[in-house]
């Protein structure tokens, strides 16, 4: 069975058990980062650093959820400790390199996407491996994603293609006279569910890829 299907199964298994809690934490993280960005307009680096910390906190939520642990709002702030500079530095270093790759003439956007998959494990490494430095996290992520980038790309492609196709079909059926109203309501419900839970599902299956890779390395 393809690796991304297993990641989907694990992610869905967690999501179906606590959809409201995970949706609430995801929404809370968006609100917090949004407020932080507004209040840091005068000094943008503070807002960016805060966003990095909250995003890594959400990654911690996904990892704990997959491990069967309780998830709560405390995990969102789990990176606000004595090692926060390392976390912020690692996330900043990752984003800087993605921007640099993206600036290459003609092929920049493609390079940035590929490197984005290479660096996808950085937040999880920063959270779970305190002995790994900010710059080492990038190199370690590149090593760990070897042979997995295609599966991670497929996971994203299948999900967003499915969302597009379902939306397209429901949109077409909603144009049918009389019964189209029913399909329009179904489409509205589908859009609300996707808006609320798609980012959570993505975060969970990304974390699943990392956990699977870590498990394989531990067994070896």
């Amino acid at each position: 069975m393809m690796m991304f299907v297993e990641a989907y199964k694990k992610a869905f298994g967690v999501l179906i058990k606590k959809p409201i809690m995970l949706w609430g934490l995801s929404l809370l993280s968006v609100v917090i980062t949004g407020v932080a960005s507004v209040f840091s307009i005068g000094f943008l680096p503070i807002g960016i650093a805060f966003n990095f910390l909250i995003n890594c906190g959400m990654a911690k939520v996904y990892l704990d959820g997959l491990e069967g642990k309780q998830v709560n709002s405390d995990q969102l702030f789990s990176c606000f400790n004595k090692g926060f500079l390392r976390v912020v530095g690692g996330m900043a270093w990752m984003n800087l390199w993605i921007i640099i790759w993206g600036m290459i003439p003609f092929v920049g956007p493609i390079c940035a996407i590929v490197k984005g998959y290479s660096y996808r494990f950085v937040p999880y490494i920063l959270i779970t491996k305190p002995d790994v430095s900010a710059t080492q996290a990038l190199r370690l992520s590149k090593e760990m994603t070897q042979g997995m980038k295609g599966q991670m790309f497929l996971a994203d492609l299948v999900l967003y293609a499915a969302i597009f196709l379902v939306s397209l079909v429901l949109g077409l059926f909603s144009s049918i006279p009389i019964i189209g109203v029913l399909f329009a309501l179904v489409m509205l419900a589908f859009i609300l569910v996707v808006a609320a839970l798609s980012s959570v599902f993505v975060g969970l299956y990304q974390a699943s890829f990392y956990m699977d890779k870590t498990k394989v390395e531990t067994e070896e």
Side-chain angles (χ1 to χ4, degrees):
M1 184 175 292
M2 301 185 75
M3 188 185 300
F4 82 87
V5 177
E6 286 298 322
Y8 272 14
K9 285 183 176 180
K10 293 175 184 178
F12 186 74
V14 175
L15 185 57
I16 201 68
K17 290 178 181 177
K18 31 191 138 186
I20 302 302
M21 175 61 76
L22 289 169
W23 168 75
L25 291 174
S26 177
L27 179 61
L28 180 60
S29 70
V30 171
V31 171
I32 291 174
T33 54
V35 171
S37 298
V38 170
F39 281 96
S40 64
I41 290 178
F43 193 60
L44 194 58
I46 291 180
I48 294 174
F50 199 90
N51 287 354
F52 286 159
L53 292 169
I54 292 295
N55 288 336
C56 283
M58 199 64 206
K60 170 69 171 170
V61 169
Y62 298 139
L63 287 174
D64 285 350
L66 286 165
E67 290 177 348
K69 299 177 182 178
Q70 291 294 321
V71 295
N72 54 59
S73 58
D74 292 345
Q75 286 145 316
L76 289 179
F77 303 94
S78 59
C79 296
F80 287 76
N81 53 33
K82 61 182 180 181
F84 78 95
L85 288 177
R86 170 180 156 275
V87 174
V88 171
M91 294 295 288
W93 189 239
M94 176 188 73
N95 282 277
L96 175 62
W97 273 106
I98 291 176
I99 292 172
I100 290 173
W101 282 108
M103 293 173 65
I104 297 176
F106 306 113
V107 296
I110 296 175
C111 290
I113 292 172
V114 173
K115 290 300 179 180
Y117 282 99
S118 295
Y119 304 152
R120 185 163 281 190
F121 288 169
V122 168
Y124 307 107
I125 292 170
L126 293 171
I127 292 168
T128 61
K129 300 180 183 294
D131 56 322
V132 176
S133 70
T135 53
Q136 288 174 336
L138 233 67
R139 292 194 292 271
L140 182 56
S141 179
K142 288 167 62 178
E143 294 172 6
M144 293 180 71
T145 55
Q146 285 292 333
M148 298 185 74
K149 291 189 287 290
Q151 286 293 312
M152 292 190 289
F153 173 74
L154 271 177
D156 291 342
L157 179 64
V158 170
L159 175 64
Y160 293 116
I163 291 173
F164 172 76
L165 288 175
V166 172
S167 300
L168 179 62
V169 170
L170 290 175
L172 291 174
F173 280 126
S174 66
S175 62
I176 300 174
I178 303 177
I179 64 170
V181 175
L182 177 60
F183 285 104
L185 291 174
V186 173
M187 183 176 180
L188 176 60
F190 176 74
I191 291 173
L192 291 175
V193 170
V194 168
L197 298 177
S198 60
S199 63
V200 175
F201 184 67
V202 171
L204 285 168
Y205 72 64
Q206 287 179 357
S208 177
F209 278 118
Y210 174 74
M211 289 180 63
D212 287 346
K213 184 65 175 181
T214 303
K215 183 179 178 180
V216 169
E217 291 183 344
T218 301
E219 292 175 348
E220 292 176 349

